Amino acid sequence: MAGPFAHTRGVQDSNAQQVWRAYESIMRKRYPGVEDMVGAQFWGTNELEISGLHNEVLYHTGLLGSAAKLGRDLRTPVPMATYETVDQVVADYEILGIGFEYYPDELEDFLYPDVVLDKLGDLPILLADAEEDEHFAAYNNGETLTGGWTGDPLFVDGAAQNLQVIGRPGVNLGSNIITTAGGPSYHLISLVEQYGHNFVNEEGRISPLNVDRVMCSRQNKRLLDLYYGAPYNIEQGKEAIPNPAEGRPQVIATHRLANPNDMIFFFEGWDEDLKERSKWRGQAMTETVGDLNEKRVVSIIRSRYAYYWFFNRRVLLVRGHA
Amino acid sequence: MYKASPRVFITEWAKTAVSATEVVANDNDFISLGTSYARMEAGYATATNAPMPDWVLYDRGRVVFTIPTLGNADNASILELLASDADGNIYSLGRSTLANGTFPPIEFDVTYEKYHLRVLTITGTTQAVTVGAAVQGFYRSGLATT
């Protein structure tokens, strides 16, 4: 006898052989349309009323009970990288992987192990990384770098440059730079909340904002998570006093800030500014799913330039002494 | 983490070559440390942000001073911290007397909203005092160090 019960005795009233034959007959059975299925659905296994066998079948076939119907397009070749990727099926059968992304062929030249170490510093940067570089460059040089349509830097000090209101030039909405001593504290969090709660939008109207996410060093991330997540006032140290820091924005750690004690706070709507700017430039973000993928990527990147240079007031730089 | 807030430099309280007593007749020059607001004016909103929006968190306040610059080495000076209530009454919260070239901190309870710092007295030849001030809040159970 072959199979998983070859060395098994006394399974299910000692009729392991009969059980195995039933299992084999099921496995060999063909169903119409089975080529469209991930595996097959094993009608009859439940009728055996042998849950152990049922689990064995599921284990060895990697199935999850019922079969998944796949669309034909999943089997059509997609432009893939040279390395092995696995088709993954999620709830709505979207293709996961890198089929939508640009993959530079030059990267393959450097993937040989003996040259990887030599070329490590010269590895070509993927498109996403290039954008990330631009992202960080904009933040780190945000106080001095000027460009784009208005020439406004990303972070303004309120003196040399002011935050502007559309339709009312000359009004000084202050600065989106906060300099404070030390690292995270309730004082720092309160200053940031104050900026959001007293936010005057580009139309000159009051629109209070909450913090959406924070980008800072790993050390400050730990402290901010501590402050945001503590059940009580950890500075006062009394458990009866609730935590005065409201909300829990997502805190992202990075090593790539120019000043290690910088914390960049993103307020609600910072991503909506992308769409506004895109609309303003006549480049509404209308995505066409399934083709023109490269154009879609380019459109997103160009709209982010706008976010850097024009709608910069929903980003706040908190600079501590480092 | 802190047992006290970071020190916040109060620009309005900086004294530049003050040579005589600063008379305080009303609380018009007093500043609110903790209350900020945004309101509409003439169709557009403007925001006024407070230097310490976390002011009400703390039990005690402390004013610390930078190293002063004096007109002459024999200058003697006293700084006074004032506060006002909702009725406009002015109270003296504490004084700092120049000693050994520096002003010691002033500590007080956080029970007022608007505060003011003035030069109470200055004496000596070539009277002038230049000093900056920062405020910080701390907890009654916290460390009483600056």
Side-chain angles (χ1 to χ4, degrees), chain B residues 29-105:
Chain B
D29 294 332
F30 288 35
I31 63 166
S32 176
L33 291 177
T35 299
S36 64
Y37 59 88
R39 64 187 176 201
M40 300 292 291
E41 288 176 351
Y44 289 92
T46 54
T48 299
N49 289 337
M52 292 196 66
D54 52 331
W55 184 241
V56 295
L57 288 181
Y58 305 103
D59 301 323
R60 298 271 288 169
R62 176 191 296 129
V63 178
V64 293
F65 302 98
T66 61
I67 303 297
T69 300
L70 302 173
N72 191 285
D74 70 349
N75 280 169
S77 182
I78 299 175
L79 302 177
E80 185 178 34
L81 181 68
L82 303 173
S84 67
D85 61 13
D87 296 328
N89 301 316
I90 297 175
Y91 304 93
S92 173
L93 296 188
R95 296 176 181 179
S96 178
T97 303
L98 181 66
N100 297 324
T102 57
F103 288 99

Side-chain angles (χ1 to χ4, degrees), chain A residues 114-171:
Chain A
D114 54 339
V115 295
V116 161
L117 291 180
D118 296 335
K119 300 282 188 181
L120 199 56
D122 302 326
L123 275 177
I125 300 170
L126 289 172
L127 189 60
D129 293 334
E131 186 188 352
E132 188 186 359
D133 274 351
E134 197 136 25
H135 215 94
F136 280 97
Y139 291 140
N140 291 332
N141 304 314
E143 296 164 89
T144 55
L145 199 59
T146 57
W149 183 68
T150 59
D152 285 339
L154 179 59
F155 299 114
V156 302
D157 57 3
Q161 291 95 9
N162 297 326
L163 297 176
Q164 296 292 319
V165 174
I166 294 175
R168 197 190 189 191
V171 69

Side-chain angles (χ1 to χ4, degrees), chain B residues 7 9 62-66 103-106 131-136 146:
Chain B
R7 284 173 292 278
F9 191 87
R62 176 191 296 129
V63 178
V64 293
F65 302 98
T66 61
F103 288 99
I106 300 173
V131 65
V135 70
Q136 131 185 79
T146 57

